[in-house]
Amino acid sequence: YFFDPDSLLNGDQLTFTVDVNNTDLVSASIVNGSLRLVLQPDASGIATVTVRATDRAGNTISDSFDLVVGATNDGPRAVND
């Protein structure tokens, strides 16, 4: 959650961006003000997700978290030879 005290005084608004350091594991976007994470199929590992808020004056703040996705044991499947 990001808060800009200027929004109460002058209606300043924040814009958001997101970066991920491991796109082989997850893709990330901001959709209607919410963070959207999409895991890649059959992937496991760790990704650092960084969300940045910027106000109209160009001031920024960011916060990061690690997303940890554990491996799962998939069942056997038949394939055509």
Side-chain angles (χ1 to χ4, degrees):
Y1 176 73
F2 294 103
F3 174 73
D4 183 358
D6 293 331
S7 65
L8 299 175
L9 300 173
N10 61 16
D12 198 3
Q13 293 183 342
L14 298 174
T15 56
F16 298 94
T17 57
V18 62
D19 293 307
V20 177
N21 74 338
N22 185 355
T23 56
D24 291 334
L25 179 65
V26 63
S27 63
S29 59
I30 304 292
V31 178
N32 296 324
S34 295
L35 177 61
R36 180 174 184 246
L37 301 173
V38 178
L39 299 175
Q40 302 303 322
D42 300 319
S44 61
I46 300 173
T48 301
V49 180
T50 302
V51 180
R52 176 173 287 109
T54 305
D55 68 9
R56 290 182 192 164
N59 298 312
T60 63
I61 188 167
S62 62
D63 199 3
S64 298
F65 63 91
D66 289 334
L67 175 68
V68 180
V69 179
T72 59
N73 185 4
D74 297 329
R77 54 188 153 160
V79 293
N80 292 332
D81 292 336

